[in-house]
Amino acid sequence: ERVKAEATLRRLEEVARRRDLDPLGLRSLAYGGMRRKEEALAVLQETCEKYPWRLIGLRVEPGYDWLRDDPRFQELLRCARLAP
């Protein structure tokens, strides 16, 4: 189903661009659903650098549970000032 997921992500990103929305949030969750760890972490890092307030739910969002053990995820929490 990865091919379908990637095609869906491309369509969602196109809709976001037409509506002048930033698709970063869509990408991080989509990559997470596809278990593309490196891409998900890279998008989250970019989001944190540009818009740290958009990561307000990062500590509790179940969609990111599979990344919590990665040290880079802990760094994202610090970046967004969400670390305990």
Side-chain angles (χ1 to χ4, degrees), residues 6-56:
E6 289 174 353
T8 300
L9 175 59
R10 284 192 299 275
R11 284 194 303 273
L12 288 172
E13 287 180 326
E14 181 57 36
V15 168
R17 277 190 288 279
R18 281 191 304 231
R19 294 183 179 188
D20 201 28
L21 301 171
D22 189 338
L24 285 174
L26 291 172
R27 263 191 236 137
S28 66
L29 287 173
Y31 288 145
M34 292 184 272
R35 292 301 191 254
R36 292 173 57 178
K37 187 176 194 174
E38 298 306 316
E39 292 93 335
L41 288 168
V43 169
L44 288 168
Q45 182 62 43
E46 181 181 353
T47 302
C48 195
E49 290 168 5
K50 292 181 177 180
Y51 319 104
W53 63 90
R54 289 188 181 175
L55 298 180
I56 191 75

